[in-house]
């Protein structure tokens, strides 16, 4: 088994006309992550010496996306999309000093896993192949290249769907689009391909037949289930890839000890983390950046984005949580709208129809009903009465509300910021407070009730 170095090439220059949108195809997302990034993640696990992405259609957009997370990735531009072979050839300059194996992938096959790549790579090395391709026995291989074998079962070439004879079209073994080729031959082989075919393109797949003609050792790795590897050419296939991704992720979560009422109705992002023993209700949607600890309880019909929810926290139904930190033992919802910058400490309570934004609640603080807390700092064990609003916006600027520990805010208060309610203070229900309240004092910000004697009512007789 050889131990040569590895380089990777991801073909991501195509426009993806069959997607019928302006967005470059490889930037369409599966589980909230651009397809090409799934492939970057999977290839990176092989520790390649060099990674090259071929960009073309909206090159800047695609390379910016990759660069943001893989700053050492090299880029080669394919100015005109003349086919997958031509695309791979663009990597020649970037790999001119590289010797070893080159892994080439299509950028539109986001369900390829690190595990699969490892298996193909191992096969390539143990067989001492010069070229290893990946195939799948597909029930319906329409649109895919066919792997043609001779009577002994040896690979002879790949023929693209458009170029298939009637007989070749019946072949069920399809090309998945993952190749490992020794750098000794790769670019020479590509240069020998022509574009005399139905698409008028330079096909990378033609190097298979050429390598065999040259007498190089060509092998294949065949996957059991072809469905995940057929690639995304249309919105229908994108939806199908999403479905498969979600199925895999749900299964992984369940096996790791997450409990789910209706797994088929929970939608994860690629990076969602949920700890063992946590319960997830039905219809939960995770956007990117969410991590939930162990033994938390998350009721259904809720949405989560970019948030950290600790062990044993509870989020009740119909809540929207974004950019938040929710600590152990905190309770949120039902019907809570938790916006970015919300930070709830241990054993806090944010109840029904409460909206928070840039609001910090210290341990044991409670805002149980129908309130808005924006740009606010709430002290430990402070209780905010129902219907309280922090008036944080004067039409031009935002201002802070600070409420210290052990404060009791009566119901239906309007706290006009900037304002500070000091430790242990109490405010009367229905107050509109515009000035700071000293510690331990009782603030009234409303007219006192007066009861007047009214003239006796005369009752008309019928
Ligand atoms: C390709 C294979 C086919 C295989 C299938 C698997 C060829 C000729 N055919 O077909 O055998 O069964 O994948 O999914 O390779 N690209 C470029 N520049 C180009 C053309 C394409 O960078 O000039 C990129 C695309 O962005 C895409 C990838 O290469 O990520 C594959 O191109 P696509 O047109 O989707 O190839 P398929 O027709 O699916
Ligand atoms: Ca494709």
């Amino acid at each position: 088994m050889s131990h040569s170095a590895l380089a990777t090439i991801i073909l991501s220059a195509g426009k993806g006309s069959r997607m019928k949108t302006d967005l470059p195809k490889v930037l369409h997302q599966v589980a909230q992550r651009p397809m090409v990034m799934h492939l970057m993640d999977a290839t990176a696990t092989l520790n390649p010496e060099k990674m090259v992405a071929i960009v073309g259609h909206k090159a800047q957009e695609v390379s910016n996306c990759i660069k943001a997370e893989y700053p050492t990735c090299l880029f080669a531009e394919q100015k005109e999309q003349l086919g997958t072979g031509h695309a791979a050839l663009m990597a020649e300059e970037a790999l001119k000093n590289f010797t070893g194996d080159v892994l080439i992938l299509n950028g539109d096959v986001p369900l390829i896993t690190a595990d699969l790549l490892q298996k193909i790579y191992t096969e390539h090395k143990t067989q001492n192949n010069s070229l290893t391709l990946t195939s799948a026995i597909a029930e319906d291989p329409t649109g895919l290249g066919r792997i043609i074998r001779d009577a002994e079962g040896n690979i002879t070439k790949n023929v693209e769907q458009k170029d298939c004879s009637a007989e070749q079209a019946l072949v069920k073994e399809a090309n998945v689009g993952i190749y490992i080729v020794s750098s000794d031959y790769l670019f020479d082989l590509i240069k020998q391909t022509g574009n005399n075919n139905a698409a008028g393109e330079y096909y990378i797949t033609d190097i298979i037949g050429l390598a065999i003609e040259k007498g190089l050792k060509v092998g294949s790795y065949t996957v059991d289930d072809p469905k995940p590897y057929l690639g995304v050419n249309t919105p229908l296939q994108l939806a199908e890839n999403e479905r498969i991704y979600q199925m895999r992720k749900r299964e992984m979560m369940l096996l790791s000890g997450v409990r789910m009422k209706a797994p088929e109705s929970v939608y994860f992002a690629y990076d969602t983390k949920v700890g063992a023993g946590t319960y997830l209700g039905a219809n939960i949607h995770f956007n990117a950046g969410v991590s939930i600890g162990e033994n938390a309880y998350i009721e259904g019909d809720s949405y989560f984005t970019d948030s950290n929810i600790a062990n044993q926290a509870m989020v009740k139904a119909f809540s929207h949580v974004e950019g938040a930190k929710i600590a152990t033992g905190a309770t949120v919802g039902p019907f809570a709208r938790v916006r970015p910058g919300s930070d709830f400490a241990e054993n806090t309570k944010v109840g029904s129809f409460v909206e928070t934004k840039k609001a910090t609640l210290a341990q044991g603080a409670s805002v149980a009903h129908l309130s808005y807390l924006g740009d606010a700092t709430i002290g430990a064990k402070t209780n905010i009465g129902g219907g309280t609003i922090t008036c944080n916006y004067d039409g031009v600027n935002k201002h802070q509300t600070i409420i210290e520990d052990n404060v009791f805010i009566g119901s239906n208060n309007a706290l006009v910021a900037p304002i500070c309610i000091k430790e242990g203070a109490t405010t009367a229900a229905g107050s509109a407070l515009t000035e700071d309240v000293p510690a331990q004092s009782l603030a009234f910000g409303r007219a006192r009730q007066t009861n007047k004697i009214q003239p006796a009512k005369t009752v008309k007789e019928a």
Side-chain angles (χ1 to χ4, degrees):
M1 182 155 135
S2 61
H3 289 278
S4 57
L6 183 73
T8 61
I9 303 176
I10 298 184
L11 308 180
S12 40
K15 179 164 185 281
S17 352
R18 289 168 282 181
M19 293 300 287
K20 300 193 175 11
T21 64
D22 267 357
L23 186 71
K25 176 163 77 175
V26 297
L27 296 188
H28 281 271
Q29 298 192 342
V30 166
Q32 317 269 327
R33 187 148 176 86
M35 292 201 273
V36 68
M37 297 308 282
H38 283 281
L39 295 167
M40 291 298 297
D41 297 344
T43 51
T45 62
L46 300 177
N47 291 320
E49 194 180 297
K50 285 194 165 136
M51 296 174 106
V52 187
I54 311 299
V55 293
H57 177 69
K58 300 211 171 160
Q60 203 61 45
E61 233 175 284
V62 178
S63 56
N64 284 349
C65 171
I66 297 173
K67 239 186 275 172
E69 290 184 51
Y70 291 95
T72 59
C73 182
L74 304 168
F75 296 93
E77 195 171 348
Q78 185 196 23
K79 291 211 167 67
E80 255 184 302
Q81 278 76 66
L82 302 179
T84 48
H86 179 255
L89 185 59
M90 300 298 112
E92 189 176 21
E93 176 64 23
L95 296 184
K96 68 172 185 280
N97 296 321
F98 174 81
T99 310
D101 291 316
V102 184
L103 167 69
I104 305 154
L105 301 173
N106 289 342
D108 62 353
V109 194
L111 299 177
I112 287 173
T113 59
D115 184 54
L116 174 64
L117 293 180
Q118 189 64 62
K119 284 178 179 150
I120 301 168
Y121 190 26
T122 303
E123 173 74 12
H124 178 78
K125 288 189 292 189
T126 48
Q127 296 298 324
N128 260 312
N129 288 340
S130 295
L131 187 160
T132 303
L133 63 93
T134 312
S135 71
I137 312 300
E139 234 168 80
D140 176 14
T142 308
L144 300 170
R146 305 297 204 282
I147 304 301
I148 309 299
R149 293 179 185 262
D150 64 16
E152 277 84 53
N154 299 313
I155 297 166
T156 58
K157 60 183 168 182
N158 172 90
V159 180
E160 287 301 287
Q161 166 88 39
K162 287 181 180 165
D163 303 300
C164 276
S165 65
E167 194 190 336
Q168 287 166 335
L170 297 175
V171 171
K172 299 244 181 265
E173 187 174 9
N175 173 30
V176 166
I178 308 170
Y179 323 88
I180 302 180
V181 189
S182 159
S183 64
D184 295 345
Y185 310 108
L186 175 64
F187 297 112
D188 285 343
L189 287 170
I190 296 176
K191 284 175 192 165
Q192 287 166 42
T193 64
N195 65 350
N196 185 16
N197 51 49
E201 289 184 358
Y202 295 90
Y203 296 155
I204 181 109
T205 46
D206 281 353
I207 67 172
I208 297 166
L210 287 166
I212 287 163
E213 280 170 26
K214 263 189 180 275
L216 298 177
K217 189 156 187 244
V218 174
S220 64
Y221 182 89
T222 304
V223 296
D224 311 330
D225 177 11
K227 268 218 193 81
Y229 310 116
L230 305 182
V232 173
N233 300 315
T234 64
L236 180 66
Q237 288 169 327
L238 181 65
E240 177 63 6
N241 272 243
E242 179 76 37
R243 194 185 65 76
I244 296 171
Y245 189 96
Q246 292 298 336
M247 245 168 43
R248 282 184 183 170
K249 187 99 183 176
R250 288 169 193 143
E251 203 175 295
M252 237 172 59
M253 289 282 182
L254 289 163
L255 289 172
S256 73
V258 176
R259 291 174 297 135
M260 287 190 231
K261 180 178 185 177
E264 68 285 358
S265 70
V266 176
Y267 297 88
F268 294 104
Y270 70 100
D271 62 348
T272 310
K273 291 188 183 67
V274 183
T278 286
Y279 169 82
L280 302 177
N283 301 322
I284 297 180
H285 302 258
F286 291 105
N287 291 314
V290 178
S291 143
I292 300 182
E294 294 175 1
N295 300 310
Y297 196 89
I298 313 292
E299 289 185 355
D301 300 289
S302 33
Y303 287 77
F304 296 88
T305 306
D306 187 28
S307 291
N308 230 295
I309 297 167
N311 300 343
Q312 286 151 28
M314 182 176 207
V315 178
K316 295 186 180 174
F318 300 102
S319 294
H320 279 228
V321 176
E322 181 179 357
K325 245 180 94 184
I326 299 174
T328 298
T331 312
V332 171
F335 298 99
R337 175 148 189 240
V338 180
R339 292 169 51 200
S342 295
D343 186 342
F344 307 154
E346 286 81 11
N347 305 317
T348 48
K349 177 174 179 173
V350 173
S352 42
F353 304 102
V354 172
E355 176 174 338
T356 65
K357 184 216 77 174
K358 288 192 187 156
T360 305
L361 269 65
Q363 272 196 34
S366 168
V367 48
H369 341 265
L370 297 153
S371 291
Y372 172 63
L373 298 180
D375 303 300
T377 306
I378 315 296
K381 296 208 170 109
T382 281
N383 185 77
I384 312 283
T388 293
I389 304 289
T390 53
C391 311
N392 58 330
Y393 187 46
D394 60 13
V396 182
N397 294 308
K398 299 279 168 76
H399 302 282
Q400 291 291 318
T401 297
I402 296 166
I403 305 176
E404 295 184 351
D405 296 350
N406 296 306
V407 168
F408 184 92
I409 303 288
S411 295
N412 202 30
N413 273 211
L415 306 172
V416 182
I419 191 166
C420 178
I421 318 287
K422 296 261 160 64
E423 193 173 346
T426 300
T427 69
S431 291
L433 299 174
T434 55
E435 282 165 26
D436 290 358
V437 177
Q440 312 300 340
S441 49
L442 169 63
F444 277 84
R446 58 167 157 89
R448 263 183 188 284
Q449 177 175 338
T450 53
N451 298 327
K452 291 185 178 159
I453 295 177
Q454 57 176 346
K457 285 176 184 147
T458 49
V459 180
K460 268 194 187 159
E461 281 188 31

